[in-house]
Amino acid sequence: MPDPHPLPGGAPGPADDPPPAGQGAPDPPPCKITTLLTPHPLDIPSFSAAVGSPAAGAVSTFVGTTRDSWDGKPTLRLEYEAYAPMAEAALGALAATAAGRWGLTGFAAGHRTGTVGVGEASVVIAASSAHRADALAAVAWAIDELKATVPIWKKEVFVGGEVWQENAEGRALMMEKRQRGAG
Amino acid sequence: MPDPHPLPGGAPGPADDPPPAGQGAPDPPPCKITTLLTPHPLDIPSFSAAVGSPAAGAVSTFVGTTRDSWDGKPTLRLEYEAYAPMAEAALGALAATAAGRWGLTGFAAGHRTGTVGVGEASVVIAASSAHRADALAAVAWAIDELKATVPIWKKEVFVGGEVWQENAEGRALMMEKRQRGAG
């Protein structure tokens, strides 16, 4: 039986400007990049492991989970809907930007779709770098960037009602998707 | 055989100002706090698990690892030496400050002592909060604060030499400890 939540193999991504050929110092290792959009539970340790590198002195990780209340009302679950091809492309672009901007040794981002119960993870970001400031800054930037630019929408289902969380860009895309009947 | 790297049970720490008694909203749950100074390998997932809470929507984690080079020279290992009673007290104070300042639902910090090989973790910080900005900010602050205030010293052992990493406050304490022959 296949692993229910496999992580695709890391692919080399952009790294800091390498030194000119012929210079003594060895090239920095390329940044390992992994992104995943999945209806299955996210295996958090596999994301931390995916960014591991002997050149890393720091690994920073962020996990977003469903909390038990929304606006004072008990939450039952969250439901995430994605425009998959565009969400995957946006995750990849975000990863490449983070890797290049902070000279990371590894970057991984995953988002779950469908129903996510209280206490379960909906999103994970992991980054590794030689020094701690870069991994920390990259993760803080990436989760904000993901929420702002990746077309994934969240419906909060709480006792007594439900509400879609707005995302200016995303909302327009979701409406367009629904009008077109895209899957 | 006892667990080689047990985490002590979480103890309640300071939380945000609770609402006045008699007000309708329930008290926020207290922050679960865990700190650990250990010569054994750090079990990273146990720190993330220790900060878990149904009231949390975010878990942020930082792990510091031994990287394979220092100042261009291959690193063989790091060696950490702590002034244990003071280090444990400083970790506890740091945790209480973080919990109160960011209204965390959970906070955990662990540091390993002794020899830490390349790729192994020497320090871990985890924090959870209702909203993501608090957990992210608390972890970034805590790792800097730990390096600045907790009396743990690092010796880098690389091919061709070794060097103690300075820590202004810590250096004085280490000298004092050595002069006094404290264990």
Side-chain angles (χ1 to χ4, degrees):
Chain A
M1 186 180 137
D3 181 348
H5 37 62
L7 277 183
D16 270 343
D17 292 335
Q23 189 171 317
D27 285 357
C31 179
K32 288 191 296 180
I33 287 180
T34 304
T35 61
L36 181 67
L37 184 68
T38 175
H40 303 296
L42 294 166
D43 177 38
I44 307 302
S46 73
F47 286 87
S48 302
V51 303
S53 162
V59 177
S60 179
T61 308
F62 176 84
V63 179
T65 55
T66 300
R67 61 199 169 92
D68 61 4
S69 68
W70 182 84
D71 198 21
K73 294 178 271 293
T75 297
L76 298 174
R77 64 183 181 278
L78 299 184
E79 293 174 9
Y80 290 90
E81 187 174 333
Y83 193 169
M86 195 173 285
E88 284 164 355
L91 275 179
L94 181 160
T97 299
R101 189 174 297 177
W102 284 280
L104 303 177
T105 45
F107 182 89
H111 207 297
R112 189 169 165 188
T113 55
T115 298
V116 182
V118 169
E120 294 185 69
S122 53
V123 59
V124 54
I125 308 270
S128 67
S129 56
H131 302 284
R132 69 182 183 275
D134 295 313
L136 288 163
V139 167
W141 172 85
I143 184 63
D144 282 350
E145 184 74 1
L146 186 154
K147 300 260 183 186
T149 66
V150 178
I152 300 174
W153 310 281
K154 176 167 72 169
K155 184 163 72 173
E156 304 248 13
V157 183
F158 49 85
V159 173
E162 60 183 48
V163 62
W164 281 100
Q165 294 298 305
E166 294 282 351
N167 165 328
E169 258 187 277
R171 190 72 175 171
L173 282 168
M174 185 169 67
M175 292 298 115
E176 182 189 320
K177 174 186 168 189
R178 289 186 164 178
Q179 284 166 6
R180 289 165 37 189
Chain B
M1 185 180 135
D3 181 349
H5 38 62
L7 277 183
D16 266 345
D17 292 334
Q23 187 172 316
D27 286 358
C31 179
K32 290 191 296 181
I33 289 180
T34 305
T35 60
L36 181 68
L37 185 68
T38 176
H40 303 295
L42 295 167
D43 177 37
I44 307 303
S46 73
F47 287 86
S48 302
V51 303
S53 163
V59 177
S60 180
T61 309
F62 176 84
V63 179
T65 55
T66 300
R67 61 198 167 92
D68 61 5
S69 67
W70 183 82
D71 199 20
K73 294 178 272 291
T75 297
L76 296 174
R77 64 181 181 277
L78 298 184
E79 292 175 11
Y80 291 90
E81 187 174 336
Y83 192 170
M86 193 171 286
E88 284 164 356
L91 274 179
L94 179 161
T97 300
R101 188 173 299 176
W102 284 280
L104 303 177
T105 46
F107 181 88
H111 207 299
R112 189 169 166 187
T113 55
T115 298
V116 182
V118 169
E120 292 185 70
S122 53
V123 60
V124 55
I125 308 270
S128 67
S129 57
H131 302 283
R132 68 182 184 273
D134 296 312
L136 288 163
V139 167
W141 172 84
I143 184 64
D144 282 350
E145 184 74 2
L146 186 153
K147 300 262 182 183
T149 66
V150 178
I152 300 174
W153 310 281
K154 177 167 72 168
K155 183 163 73 172
E156 303 248 12
V157 182
F158 49 85
V159 173
E162 60 183 47
V163 63
W164 282 99
Q165 293 298 304
E166 294 282 353
N167 164 327
E169 259 186 275
R171 191 73 176 171
L173 282 167
M174 183 167 69
M175 292 297 117
E176 183 189 318
K177 172 187 169 186
R178 290 187 163 178
Q179 283 164 9
R180 290 163 39 190

